Amino acid sequence: MVETLYFPKMMGVLAASVTAGPMEKNSAFASYFDEFLHEENNKKFSYEDLHQVLFDKSRHRALEKAELQANEIAYAVGGDLINQMTPTTFSAAGHGIPMYPLFSACATSVQASIQAAIFGQLTQSPILMTTGSFHAAVERQFRYPIEYGSQKPDTAQWTVTAGVSAIWGRVEKGPYLSHATIGKVMDANQSNPYDMGSAMAPAAIDTIERHLKGMNAELSDYDAIITGDLGKYGLEIVKTLLSDQEGVIRDAGALFYGKETFCNAGGSGAGCSAAVYFTHVLDNMQKEKWKRVLLVATGALLSPLTFQQGKTIPSIAHAMEWRVKP
């Protein structure tokens, strides 16, 4: 059975943009971001409305960078964490591009990119990928409203406020998406929403192992393997069980806020890994500092309902391999 996908027609990122929140000015990657919201609270808008604003702003900026109009985009793919992905769909209602909504929680950026590459094998026109998260909206849906002021354990992560848009298209040189591995839903019998890293680590391990097997590769064949968003504790589980002694594996969530302590175990949210992949990673590959990278986004597939019912947290991880053409 073939588990690793190969894309014969090279698909790369024509342009990408990140619109982030005010706290994200503290990110180690803030210099890459295009725009910041001045505040997360606005009397005229709900948190979910502002979540949509992130998508609208990042999409407009990405189109400007690519010198494209919305009617030149073949399809849009993407999703988010909020009920029935309403920020994504409300935003899509404003751009008029045929939309393919999808959901893998915080793994949505890679799932959507893989789907964009699949569409790109069938059309010459560019594909728009959009995903993101909004701290206050996600917190009140999956944990407690921020106004509640609940204290969090060290294993908890800070939901990143960021909308990320990337325009995929045919390219003749790198960086380009060469291969991908679709994740399996894994259930490690974890039920603590304040320890997502432990819940998602088994899915990341399974996907990395299957991708390496499909590519007949080892960890050392990559300049970097970047997960997201396992946080500090989930990352350590993955590194230990995969015997990563050379430090090839790192995590977007663990890196996102640098040494800031307010984020506990690191960043999370659909916008976290996407904001790192489509800025920092892309820049390093464009400059050919890295020539082969594996990006493995992880997602916790819980809902408010399953959490209230005391269910466990099934998780998934999708992988995409980026290369620079030799």
Side-chain angles (χ1 to χ4, degrees):
M1 181 176 66
V2 177
E3 291 192 344
T4 300
L5 301 175
Y6 165 65
F7 299 99
K9 298 173 182 176
M10 293 170 54
M11 294 293 296
V13 179
L14 306 181
S17 177
V18 177
T19 299
M23 294 298 294
E24 284 57 47
K25 293 178 182 179
N26 296 307
S27 171
F29 307 100
S31 62
Y32 290 107
F33 303 161
D34 296 291
E35 187 176 359
F36 297 90
L37 299 183
H38 295 300
E39 56 187 359
E40 282 198 350
N41 296 309
N42 189 307
K43 293 181 180 179
K44 296 182 180 179
F45 301 99
S46 70
Y47 295 145
E48 291 72 26
D49 289 335
L50 291 171
H51 197 332
Q52 178 189 336
V53 168
L54 293 175
F55 290 157
D56 292 341
K57 286 180 173 291
S58 67
R59 180 183 73 251
H60 286 306
R61 186 65 65 89
L63 287 169
E64 286 179 359
K65 288 182 176 181
E67 298 182 347
L68 292 169
Q69 300 296 318
N71 60 11
E72 297 179 90
I73 303 295
Y75 306 109
V77 295
D80 60 82
L81 304 174
I82 303 303
N83 294 331
Q84 286 75 52
M85 299 184 293
T86 47
T88 296
T89 53
F90 275 60
S91 179
H95 61 55
I97 303 169
M99 183 70 197
Y100 195 86
L102 38 76
F103 177 80
S104 275
C106 298
T108 297
S109 62
V110 173
Q111 181 192 11
S113 295
I114 294 170
Q115 186 62 56
I118 292 172
F119 283 149
Q121 305 303 293
L122 307 173
T123 177
Q124 293 278 0
S125 300
I127 315 295
L128 171 68
M129 187 288 300
T130 304
T131 191
S133 46
F134 192 92
H135 177 79
V138 173
E139 286 296 310
R140 77 173 172 187
Q141 175 160 319
F142 288 98
R143 285 172 282 269
Y144 293 103
I146 56 175
E147 294 86 352
Y148 183 76
S150 64
Q151 301 299 302
K152 298 181 180 180
D154 288 343
T155 54
Q157 293 167 245
W158 181 280
T159 304
V160 166
T161 296
V164 183
S165 294
I167 298 174
W168 287 89
R170 300 274 187 92
V171 295
E172 296 181 357
K173 60 180 182 179
Y176 65 98
L177 196 165
S178 66
H179 297 80
T181 297
I182 307 299
K184 297 178 181 179
V185 177
M186 311 284 288
D187 193 337
N189 203 32
Q190 301 288 321
S191 58
N192 183 1
Y194 290 107
D195 186 9
M196 296 293 194
S198 295
M200 297 188 293
I205 292 169
D206 176 77
T207 297
I208 292 171
E209 288 181 331
R210 288 190 295 114
H211 189 86
L212 293 178
K213 181 178 179 181
M215 300 300 298
N216 192 26
E218 299 179 355
L219 295 179
S220 58
D221 292 326
Y222 294 86
D223 295 304
I225 296 176
I226 305 179
T227 58
D229 316 302
L230 296 173
K232 299 173 185 175
Y233 297 99
L235 174 62
E236 286 306 310
I237 293 172
V238 170
K239 289 173 66 70
T240 299
L241 294 182
L242 290 179
S243 302
D244 177 27
Q245 299 180 6
E246 297 182 5
V248 175
I249 303 174
R250 57 199 78 176
D251 183 73
L255 293 169
F256 194 88
Y257 289 109
K259 296 181 179 180
E260 291 284 352
T261 57
F262 69 83
C263 60
N264 299 82
S268 66
C272 180
S273 59
V276 176
Y277 295 165
F278 290 97
T279 59
H280 172 69
V281 174
L282 191 60
D283 181 62
N284 275 284
M285 298 204 74
Q286 288 171 338
K287 294 177 179 176
E288 298 193 15
K289 293 180 179 179
W290 294 340
K291 296 185 178 181
R292 188 179 185 184
V293 173
L294 183 63
L295 304 175
V296 187
T298 56
L301 305 179
L302 81 167
S303 73
L305 180 63
T306 59
F307 166 66
Q308 292 164 9
Q309 293 175 339
K311 301 287 189 180
T312 55
I313 303 174
S315 299
I316 198 165
H318 302 299
M320 59 178 174
E321 182 167 323
W322 286 3
R323 295 186 182 184
V324 174
K325 190 173 182 179

